[in-house]
Amino acid sequence: MKSHNIQNILFSEQQIRKRVDELVVKMAGDCRSDNFVMIGILRGSFVFLADLVRDLYEHDIHPRIDFMTLESYGRGMVSSGTVRVTKDISVDVGGADILLVDDILDTGRTLTFALQLMKDKGAKSVKSCVLLDKPSRRAVPVKADYAGFTIDDVFVVGYGLDYDSYYRELPYIASVTTVEDDA
Ligand code: IMP
Ligand code: MG
């Protein structure tokens, strides 16, 4: 039987806290639009977005906030990953300055799709913020405007990121490995 192990902690709660504060200082200037909307890509972004918006509040920034659920199919299959919307946003983003928030930028397919979707909906500008960036995995050339930490090609969990829907509640980010159990 296969199970999985939390291996080592890559970023502690304190390190994440400090980095989120730094990102917010950097992005605050860009958020001073009178039509500013933050959109979290579910499900992995919910913890990160919750920390960002409470930090932005300290900078007197008051966005409209919405979420959308994107799911990708075909990951791991050569150049056939496609993304679809399973829950769309409900705010009107016509003319808005949008900040997309995601947990991790991996192949880049999800973010590329989300950026285009927001443009198609008539956004005035679209920027992006991810907590983690795995540039070595990129299949589509896309960069986030703000990225917390760059990591190697390891599978990570915690702070919103999951393995099979587990571990999202961990306050830190850790790598996870699959192990063969003894019979
Ligand atoms: P992309 O479209 O390949 O960039 O996919 C990004 C999505 O894949 C993220 O929003 C995560 O949901 C998921 N993902 C990619 N790498 C990891 C990881 O190491 N741990 C957990 N989820 C991951
Ligand atoms: Mg995700």
Side-chain angles (χ1 to χ4, degrees):
M1 208 183 94
K2 276 190 174 172
S3 70
H4 43 278
N5 273 344
I6 293 290
Q7 220 173 27
N8 55 318
I9 295 179
L10 299 184
F11 304 106
S12 68
E13 191 173 358
Q14 291 74 17
Q15 284 174 299
I16 297 170
R17 179 75 261 158
K18 182 168 173 281
R19 189 64 187 133
V20 169
D21 289 347
E22 289 170 0
L23 285 176
V24 166
V25 167
K26 277 196 196 174
M27 73 175 65
D30 282 342
C31 303
R32 297 198 187 285
S33 152
D34 52 15
N35 190 359
F36 177 51
V37 181
M38 290 177 72
I39 295 177
I41 299 175
L42 292 174
R43 292 169 287 272
S45 71
F46 76 106
V47 178
F48 184 36
L49 187 125
D51 278 350
L52 286 175
V53 296
R54 288 175 296 173
D55 226 349
L56 284 166
Y57 169 84
E58 302 298 329
H59 292 254
D60 202 24
I61 288 163
H62 308 283
R64 284 187 291 156
I65 300 169
D66 203 352
F67 294 91
M68 64 182 167
T69 309
L70 299 182
E71 290 183 0
S72 44
Y73 290 83
R75 183 174 296 137
M77 294 164 66
V78 181
S79 70
S80 63
T82 56
V83 181
R84 65 170 193 153
V85 182
T86 57
K87 182 217 164 276
D88 207 344
I89 52 169
S90 44
V91 295
D92 177 6
V93 294
D97 295 297
I98 296 181
L99 182 65
L100 286 169
V101 178
D102 205 356
D103 50 359
I104 184 166
L105 183 52
D106 187 35
T107 65
R109 291 193 177 101
T110 304
L111 188 60
T112 302
F113 179 90
L115 287 164
Q116 189 58 49
L117 187 66
M118 293 304 112
K119 287 175 195 157
D120 293 347
K121 285 177 185 286
K124 186 172 139 206
S125 72
V126 193
K127 290 200 168 178
S128 59
C129 176
V130 296
L131 182 73
L132 300 172
D133 187 5
K134 269 191 210 174
S136 63
R137 290 260 309 155
R138 207 73 92 248
V140 181
V142 59
K143 276 190 177 175
D145 294 285
Y146 306 98
F149 303 103
T150 299
I151 61 169
D152 294 334
D153 185 9
V154 286
F155 198 83
V156 291
V157 295
Y159 195 72
L161 291 118
D162 73 306
Y163 175 84
D164 202 14
S165 298
Y166 287 102
Y167 302 124
R168 294 191 195 275
E169 76 287 5
L170 299 179
Y172 51 81
I173 289 167
S175 57
V176 66
T177 48
T178 305
V179 291
E180 292 289 341
D181 287 345
D182 293 336

